[in-house]
Structure formats: C-alpha cells, structure tokens
Amino acid sequence: MTPAGHQQPSQHAPELRAAARHLGRRRFLTVTGAAAALAFATNLPTAGVAAAAELDAAKITENPFTLGVASGDPQATSVLLWTRLAPTPYQADSGLPPERVTVRWELAHDERFRHIVRRGAAIAHPEFHHSVHVEVGHLDSDRIFYYRFRAGSWVSETGRTRTAPSSRARVDQLTLAAVSCQAYHEGYFTAYGHLAEDDVDVVFHVGDYLYEYAVSSVGGARNYTDRVLPDLFNRETITLEDYRLRYALYKTDPDLRAAHAAHPFVVTWDDHEIENNYADDIPENSVPQEEFLLRRAAGYRAYWENLPLRRPQRPAGPDMQLYRRLNWGRLAQFDILDTRQYRSDQAYGDGADVPGPESDDPSRTITGATQERWLLDGWRASKALWNVVPQQVTFSQRKLDLNEAAKMSMDAWDGYRASRGRVLAGAKAAGVDNLMVLTGDVHVGYAFDIKDDFDDSASRTLGTEIVTTSVTSGRDGAEKPANWDTYTRANPHLKFYNGRRGYTTVRLGRDSARADFKTVVAVTTPGAPITTAAAFVTEVGDQGLKPV
C-alpha cells in the first residue's frame, strides 16, 4: 500500500482521466458524470443495453463455467441465479471475444432434472464481462430447487437454492451461516469446503469478499508448489480489469465454488472490495477524489458482475444501493446494511483513539441519513419475531485497553457513537425485542450482549451481536490472541473471543436462537477439520447470550 499522505501514480486509462478532467470535479462527483466517464473509458453502455454481435456458443471450445454457479437473495416466489462465462479466467477477456452469448438455464425440483419447473435463455453481454443474472419468478415458496446453465455443448455444475417462506407463514426455524474476510493470499478457503457440507438455509457474507492486495505467484501463504499464478495478480487492484481478474482468481477456488453451489448467498461489502478503510468518497491514500471515484466505480461494477445480486443492486457509476431487506416468513426480517459507502470520514485520522468531540459529533454518520431512516422505518413496520442486521464492522462497544479512558476503533461503530445511539433508540421505540446483529471485519469470533449502556453491565440487554471470524484473513490465528485477557476484562458484555479462522452458524427458532462458532486450526495448509469452538443461546423476550 502507498503510505498515507503520499500520492500514488494514476493507473487508470489516460482517456478515463481525461474524461474526469473534462467533466470537471463538481459534475464528475455525480452518478451521471462518473458513469459517463467510466463508460467512455471502458466501452460500457451507459444505458446498460449491449449492442455487440452474437457469438455462436457452439464455437466455445473450452469449458466456460470455470467460475461455477451461485444463487442469492432468496425471496418467497423467486430466486436469483448467477454464472459468468470464462473459458480462460486468468485472461482479461476471459477467453471470449467481445460478443454476446446466449446462455440457457434450467430450474428443477430434483438434482437429476427430471422435474423441470422453469427454463429459459439469458444473454451474457461482453459489457458485463459475460456475467448472467437470472431472476426466476412465480415459484412455490419455501422450497428447494436445483439449477444449471448451458452454453453451446457445455453444461455447468448443478447448484442448489431455495425460496423463502411466504411473508405471512409461521416458520419454526431457520439456520443461517455468517462468513467474512477471505483474503486469498492469506490461506486456503477450507472453511468454505466445510460450509458446503453444512445444513444451512442461507449464507450471509458480511464483507471483504475480495482483497485489493497483491497475490504472489505462489498464492501468498498458500505457498503453491503445483502451480504458478500469473504476474497480473501480483499488484494492487485499481482498474476495472484488475478487479475483474481478481474475482476470477477467487472464484476458481474449489471450496468457494462448492459453497456457492450448495447454498444461496446474501452479500454485502466492507472496504477491501475497493480499498482498505475508505469512507464514502474519501480514499485511504492521497489521490484526487475523482480518481478514487473511478476506482470505486470499477470495484462496484466488478462486484455486481461477479456476485448473485438482483437488478436493483446494479451500480450506476460510483454508486450502488446495496442495503436491502429480506424476510423469512414471520420468523425473521433481515436488514442488510452498507456502512461503507455513505459514512463520514473516520475521526482522528482513523485507527484506534479515545472517543471525543470529533468522533461523537451528532452530525456524523456511519450509515448515511437515508439508510438510517430506512432501517428505523423498517423496524417500525416489522412483524417478524427476530430482527437481524447483517452488516460489516463491530457494532458493540469494544474497549481496546484497560485505561479509564480507553481507546476504541474509529473505523467501527465506536467511532460513530451518535449513529449507534440513534439506531438503538430507534429499535427501542419500534419495540424490537429480539435484535441480532451479524458482523465481520475483525478476523476473530466475538459474542456480545448489546447493552442499553455499555458502561453499565447492569443495564438492559437490547440484543446480541454475533461477530464471525474470517475465512482466511489473519492466517492461522490463535484460540486466545495476545490481547484476549485485556479485551475480556475491558468489555464485560463480551461473552466469547476466539482468534481461529472459520464461520458461524445461527439457528433462529420461536423460543431461542443458537450460535455455533466453527473453527479450523490452520488455513496456511489445506484440509484442516472443522470443530465447534463454542455455542451460545439467547432467548426470545430475554436477550443475553448464555453458553450451551
């Protein structure tokens, strides 16, 4: 990374920089201006309608489904299916000419496709890097389905997905998995191999699906001896081509592919999908704002192209509405947040600091005013037993030392305490009795009680926060990190702290919820077994985590 305060040379195409300068900063810093600049530089259609010639899919001579299949955002009567054609995924053009390709799809009740429910065709446009997003509607609710794609003579692997229960259904149980932080260069995606075999209904990815950092020819900590990765990965992602290629690297991982094929995913980003610790339109490093927004536009576009997201999430220039709401009958409402795109700049220069007037300024926000209102309005209208908030950074207070005035992370909700106060006040006003926050980011597993007053352990417990550890980031980690004693003493509402890699499952029921923290002992070598490090329950109407 370029040291803070140093300006790194622009790596965007000269015509892109020229377009930004021509439009001018004020006009560029709008959706229309940035979208026009990005389209001008990368031949992307501003209206999203491709006009390329059509490629005869019969002429595709290598398997185009190297990146697997995925599904996402299950609704009561529809599913979203995804794939991307890439016969040679480690090339910028993925081995396909700039021509559109017809891709056929099938959805069935059974794995052998004897009982096909729907079938159709979709166009893989070169402008969208030959990605396909198929929204299949008019389906039975609360049902398992199987799907596959065809391009010419090639057939993809089979994926498994499902619809959610109807909005009025009385549902007794839902099992979800939470995952985050999967730096390819930090280790093997072993946790995903285990998750693919786990019995869950849906997976929530709460950020850092991708890392912008360079990946060496041996895959960093993976230390490959059976392959050599191309040099094009051994640089930080800046341009649209960089981000697209990095997704190709990640998605060729067999464990990640297996998890996507096995379960529908609901995704939201944090920072590394673009750049470490960026805040809204403010970069980590000293580059011109318009250049950072070009990078953000490129990263957002590649994110949408490579993940199972619906049409409302398709980006326009450097903007993309990722916050959205899903329901699981009357058992659970999920309010998926974006705490990165709209936040105020981190206080006190970012990092760890003692909260003060700058961080506690009530005008500061981590969600933006519009998203905050959307969340609180959604809670007021909620009829769900559980209100679950999948989001990115630690929500609960987390003191980092034992001093009377303790330092806290200015990148987490502790750096935006007025925002957190408004959200918790809104939860209380809406009568949200069973609140759960799902978090990633910190590369460890935490279990927090969310307190009405974090400095008073006797105050009311308003909900629980489940922080899932990373898939690989931080490498192997340790069961008890060096600061374990400090953190557990400084934060009495912290009920669990573990530094191994893995994922977390949560079973929501009508009487209680159970969280299982699942870990592996190593990710720098493949094949580690999965174990349950700890399990906790919290009861309906009586929030507070208790060990099982």
Side-chain angles (χ1 to χ4, degrees):
M1 297 293 293
T2 303
H6 290 255
Q7 185 166 317
Q8 59 186 8
S10 174
Q11 298 180 45
H12 294 287
E15 61 269 24
L16 190 56
R17 301 199 306 274
R21 287 195 298 269
H22 174 72
L23 288 164
R25 181 179 180 276
R26 290 185 63 188
R27 186 179 164 212
F28 181 81
L29 299 180
T30 66
V31 175
T32 304
L38 187 68
F40 176 75
T42 57
N43 296 317
L44 297 173
T46 55
V49 179
E54 182 164 8
L55 173 68
D56 181 359
K59 294 181 179 179
I60 299 176
T61 58
E62 296 180 79
N63 177 19
F65 297 110
T66 57
L67 307 182
V69 300
S71 67
D73 282 21
Q75 297 182 2
T77 59
S78 71
V79 296
L80 185 285
L81 311 179
W82 174 93
T83 193
R84 183 163 78 77
L85 306 182
T88 51
Y90 297 171
Q91 292 179 194
D93 64 2
S94 300
L96 290 172
E99 298 173 359
R100 66 184 189 272
V101 181
T102 298
V103 179
R104 304 196 179 277
W105 56 268
E106 294 176 315
L107 188 76
H109 284 314
D110 63 304
E111 288 185 85
R112 303 183 71 176
F113 290 85
R114 290 177 174 173
H115 304 286
I116 294 177
V117 181
R118 297 278 190 278
R119 55 162 51 99
I123 301 299
H125 293 291
E127 292 89 348
F128 297 110
H129 214 204
H130 292 105
S131 62
V132 174
H133 297 72
V134 178
E135 297 186 33
V136 187
H138 306 291
L139 300 173
D140 292 337
S141 62
D142 200 13
R143 179 124 194 198
I144 300 292
F145 295 94
Y146 298 87
Y147 63 96
R148 64 187 178 188
F149 297 90
R150 296 177 184 269
S153 61
W154 299 96
V155 181
S156 74
E157 62 204 83
T158 295
R160 178 182 179 274
T161 191
R162 62 166 302 143
T163 49
S166 70
S167 59
R168 292 181 290 181
R170 187 186 188 279
V171 181
D172 291 329
Q173 186 172 296
L174 158 69
T175 302
L176 63 89
V179 294
S180 74
C181 301
Q182 54 196 56
Y184 186 98
H185 63 284
E186 295 272 59
Y188 289 88
F189 292 164
T190 306
Y192 274 127
H194 293 295
L195 178 55
E197 301 297 324
D198 212 336
D199 184 16
V200 302
D201 297 299
V202 61
V203 177
F204 286 86
H205 197 296
V206 290
D208 295 340
Y209 189 99
L210 187 82
Y211 276 70
E212 76 274 30
Y213 304 136
V215 180
S216 70
S217 61
V218 297
R222 295 187 178 211
N223 198 27
Y224 288 139
T225 58
D226 61 342
R227 74 199 76 176
V228 177
L229 297 179
D231 286 341
L232 54 83
F233 296 124
N234 199 18
R235 61 174 181 254
E236 185 171 337
T237 55
I238 300 290
T239 67
L240 180 59
E241 180 178 300
D242 291 338
Y243 286 108
R244 284 172 162 176
L245 283 164
R246 195 61 55 87
Y247 279 104
L249 175 64
Y250 278 53
K251 284 181 161 292
T252 50
D253 182 276
D255 289 326
L256 179 57
R257 280 182 56 170
H260 271 301
H263 312 297
F265 272 56
V266 177
V267 300
T268 187
W269 54 39
D270 191 18
D271 51 345
H272 288 289
E273 289 87 352
I274 309 302
E275 180 190 49
N276 178 58
N277 278 23
Y278 80 91
D280 191 3
D281 56 3
I282 302 168
E284 178 185 29
N285 300 305
S286 298
V287 299
Q289 194 173 33
E290 58 267 28
E291 291 230 352
F292 174 70
L293 283 182
L294 291 174
R295 180 179 186 176
R296 200 177 94 168
Y300 283 11
R301 186 178 191 88
Y303 185 84
W304 184 82
E305 288 175 345
N306 285 281
L307 288 169
L309 289 160
R310 293 178 181 265
R311 184 175 294 273
Q313 276 63 63
R314 195 165 77 186
D319 293 340
M320 178 173 167
Q321 184 175 316
L322 198 56
Y323 67 86
R324 59 207 189 277
R325 180 170 293 122
L326 297 172
N327 291 281
W328 205 268
R330 298 189 68 167
L331 180 66
Q333 175 174 295
F334 296 97
D335 294 291
I336 301 104
L337 298 190
D338 173 1
T339 63
R340 190 57 62 179
Q341 185 177 183
Y342 313 106
R343 65 161 64 195
S344 307
D345 195 13
Q346 293 94 339
Y348 302 115
D350 205 352
D353 215 314
V354 177
E358 182 181 342
S359 61
D360 289 344
D361 183 339
S363 69
R364 286 169 41 78
T365 175
I366 194 170
T367 61
T370 300
Q371 184 179 194
E372 182 181 295
R373 284 194 302 270
W374 168 86
L375 175 63
L376 302 190
D377 288 347
W379 279 344
R380 282 193 288 269
S382 175
K383 296 180 173 58
L385 181 63
W386 292 95
N387 285 276
V388 184
V389 184
Q391 56 93 52
Q392 296 75 19
V393 294
T394 304
F395 181 83
S396 300
Q397 179 171 285
R398 183 175 56 123
K399 293 181 178 179
L400 305 178
D401 57 55
L402 294 170
N403 297 327
E404 184 175 352
K407 290 183 177 181
M408 303 180 195
S409 170
M410 293 296 101
D411 188 60
W413 287 77
D414 279 332
Y416 302 82
R417 297 198 296 187
S419 250
R420 182 170 63 202
R422 291 190 297 268
V423 166
L424 290 178
K428 288 188 289 185
V432 172
D433 294 322
N434 304 295
L435 172 66
M436 180 176 288
V437 178
L438 300 179
T439 300
D441 181 55
V442 285
H443 310 167
V444 297
Y446 291 137
F448 285 107
D449 284 347
I450 299 173
K451 306 298 288 187
D452 198 8
D453 179 352
F454 284 107
D455 293 319
D456 179 3
S457 59
S459 69
R460 179 185 168 196
T461 299
L462 302 179
T464 57
E465 181 178 12
I466 304 301
V467 181
T468 187
T469 187
S470 63
V471 173
T472 60
S473 303
R475 304 196 179 187
D476 294 337
E479 184 176 347
K480 284 191 175 182
N483 56 16
W484 187 91
D485 184 65
T486 297
Y487 281 21
T488 52
R489 289 173 59 197
N491 302 285
H493 54 287
L494 174 59
K495 305 302 180 182
F496 172 73
Y497 176 16
N498 183 286
R500 293 290 192 193
R501 311 283 76 84
Y503 64 95
T504 306
T505 59
V506 178
R507 186 179 69 235
L508 300 175
R510 301 204 66 81
D511 298 319
S512 64
R514 171 176 170 144
D516 287 76
F517 292 86
K518 301 187 177 185
T519 59
V520 296
V521 294
V523 294
T524 52
T525 54
I530 195 90
T531 59
T532 298
F536 294 84
V537 295
T538 181
E539 297 177 1
V540 168
D542 184 18
Q543 290 294 287
L545 291 160
K546 305 173 183 67
V548 175

